[in-house]
Amino acid sequence: MARGKKIYEGKAKILFEGPEPGTIVQYFKDDATAFNAEKKDVIDGKGVLNNRLSEYFMTGLGQIGVPTHFMKRLNMREQLVRNCEIIPLEVIVRNFAAGSMSKRLGIEEGTQLPRPIVEYCFKDDSLGDPLVSEEHIAAFGWASQQDMDDILGLALRVNDYLSGVMYGVGIRLVDFKIEIGRVYEGDFQRLVVADEISPDSCRLWDIETGRKLDKDVFRRDLGNLTDAYAEVARRLGVMPKGTGPQKPTLVN
Ligand code: TMP
Ligand code: ASP
């Protein structure tokens, strides 16, 4: 499909104008960054895996009635999505302590939380995406109280869906980040899950061994990132041909 002009290039994806008004082509790059892009690398095959995995999760969410921006996958690296206005928040849901929460509160990584905890960060790379409260969000007008109620509802539904899907393939959903978009339909607007859901934006630990199957493999130099993502894709049955750890085999 012919894509239109480039609209935006982020750290892991590029957005192009889509074929119809109100659509966007979302291209998944192989670039990996961490610590606000202080650490960077190009990881062969990561974009292909994230495109497939995000398609899988967004489709599943749609099937249980959680609205998303996803329309269809176009090819190995691109998907067609609805254009939406991204609310400038990273919405994080945590089931177990890890990462910045463990550091901030001194809770050992892997400690189960008494209930899922939702946090908000203001999406601004120049500030390092600082943690903010609902007070900041309301006062600065990033989202209304009605939006916040809807965002919390969406975040918890995504958490239940993703936790269940992952548990079914022996993986613990430790935490994840989503972004929410505003879609306008005539005089109405509604909120949808946007951006991507992939091992770049989740913490996924093998339930039996504790092996990390997410971007912490890159952040913490724990091994081969695409092997980890391909393992998630393999367990979910969405392993695309020609990616992942298989080596070409010689036939005589
Ligand atoms: P954190 O513990 O570093 O705050 O991360 C919480 C979750 O959010 C974790 O699943 C990784 C994800 N995340 C992103 O998707 N993008 C980011 O820029 C950061 C810092 C975290
Ligand atoms: N996406 C973020 C970055 O590069 C950080 C992260 O995922 O750890 O900067």
Side-chain angles (χ1 to χ4, degrees), residues 5-17 24-27 29 86 123 125 179 195:
K5 56 172 209 297
K6 192 200 270 193
I7 300 170
Y8 175 79
E9 178 155 3
K11 285 177 285 202
K13 296 186 292 298
I14 309 174
L15 303 182
F16 299 92
E17 276 176 358
I24 299 269
V25 173
Q26 184 165 265
Y27 175 96
K29 302 194 280 186
I86 296 288
K123 242 176 95 64
D125 282 344
E179 294 184 23
D195 189 53

Side-chain angles (χ1 to χ4, degrees), residues 90 92 94 98-101 129 175-177 200-203 219:
E90 302 212 325
I92 295 168
R94 300 180 186 272
S100 68
M101 176 190 243
D129 300 338
D175 57 30
F176 65 93
K177 182 265 305 186
D200 266 13
S201 53
C202 302
R203 282 199 174 89
R219 294 188 189 98

Side-chain angles (χ1 to χ4, degrees), residues 38-55:
E38 266 173 45
K39 177 172 178 163
K40 294 184 204 187
D41 206 347
V42 177
I43 315 266
D44 208 18
K46 179 177 85 87
V48 173
L49 283 155
N50 281 353
N51 187 25
R52 293 300 286 247
L53 284 164
S54 201
E55 171 194 17

Side-chain angles (χ1 to χ4, degrees):
M1 184 181 296
R3 35 165 136 102
K5 56 172 209 297
K6 192 200 270 193
I7 300 170
Y8 175 79
E9 178 155 3
K11 285 177 285 202
K13 296 186 292 298
I14 309 174
L15 303 182
F16 299 92
E17 276 176 358
E20 309 289 341
T23 65
I24 299 269
V25 173
Q26 184 165 265
Y27 175 96
F28 287 76
K29 302 194 280 186
D30 280 340
D31 302 33
T33 64
F35 316 118
N36 210 2
E38 266 173 45
K39 177 172 178 163
K40 294 184 204 187
D41 206 347
V42 177
I43 315 266
D44 208 18
K46 179 177 85 87
V48 173
L49 283 155
N50 281 353
N51 187 25
R52 293 300 286 247
L53 284 164
S54 201
E55 171 194 17
Y56 180 84
F57 298 129
M58 295 286 186
T59 304
L61 284 168
Q63 282 168 352
I64 61 160
V66 177
T68 79
H69 72 160
F70 181 81
M71 296 172 74
K72 66 174 178 177
R73 188 170 58 80
L74 298 171
N75 55 47
M76 297 276 275
R77 285 191 183 271
E78 293 176 329
Q79 48 183 245
L80 190 68
V81 301
R82 288 191 67 169
N83 189 16
C84 46
E85 192 182 287
I86 296 288
I87 294 181
L89 296 174
E90 302 212 325
V91 180
I92 295 168
V93 184
R94 300 180 186 272
N95 299 304
F96 296 81
S100 68
M101 176 190 243
S102 288
K103 253 195 215 135
R104 202 179 330 115
L105 301 179
I107 306 174
E108 193 185 340
E109 287 209 311
T111 307
Q112 185 160 20
L113 299 171
R115 61 189 174 97
I117 294 180
V118 182
E119 295 176 346
Y120 305 99
C121 293
F122 178 49
K123 242 176 95 64
D124 185 326
D125 282 344
S126 67
L127 300 172
D129 300 338
L131 187 68
V132 291
S133 72
E134 290 194 49
E135 283 288 290
H136 297 96
I137 297 168
F140 295 121
W142 297 323
S144 67
Q145 191 52 55
Q146 178 62 54
D147 289 338
M148 291 312 292
D149 292 347
D150 293 350
I151 290 171
L152 181 65
L154 285 171
L156 294 175
R157 288 196 73 191
V158 173
N159 187 42
D160 284 346
Y161 164 79
L162 271 186
S163 296
V165 166
M166 290 303 177
Y167 183 76
V169 294
I171 295 173
R172 168 170 301 153
L173 178 68
V174 173
D175 57 30
F176 65 93
K177 182 265 305 186
I178 49 171
E179 294 184 23
I180 303 292
R182 244 184 252 288
V183 174
Y184 294 94
E185 281 158 2
D187 288 343
F188 296 98
Q189 59 135 20
R190 61 193 186 109
L191 301 185
V192 301
V193 178
D195 189 53
E196 71 177 279
I197 300 178
S198 74
D200 266 13
S201 53
C202 302
R203 282 199 174 89
L204 305 171
W205 297 359
D206 181 82
I207 288 174
E208 292 218 326
T209 64
R211 179 185 166 199
K212 291 182 176 31
L213 298 169
D214 58 64
K215 201 163 120 185
D216 273 349
V217 172
F218 169 73
R219 294 188 189 98
R220 304 180 187 190
D221 297 317
L222 300 176
N224 183 304
L225 191 72
T226 41
D227 282 357
Y229 289 20
E231 176 62 18
V232 177
R234 189 192 63 73
R235 290 195 199 184
L236 293 169
V238 292
M239 179 77 182
K241 287 197 181 72
T243 54
Q246 334 89 307
K247 300 270 184 305
T249 22
L250 284 175
V251 273
N252 45 1

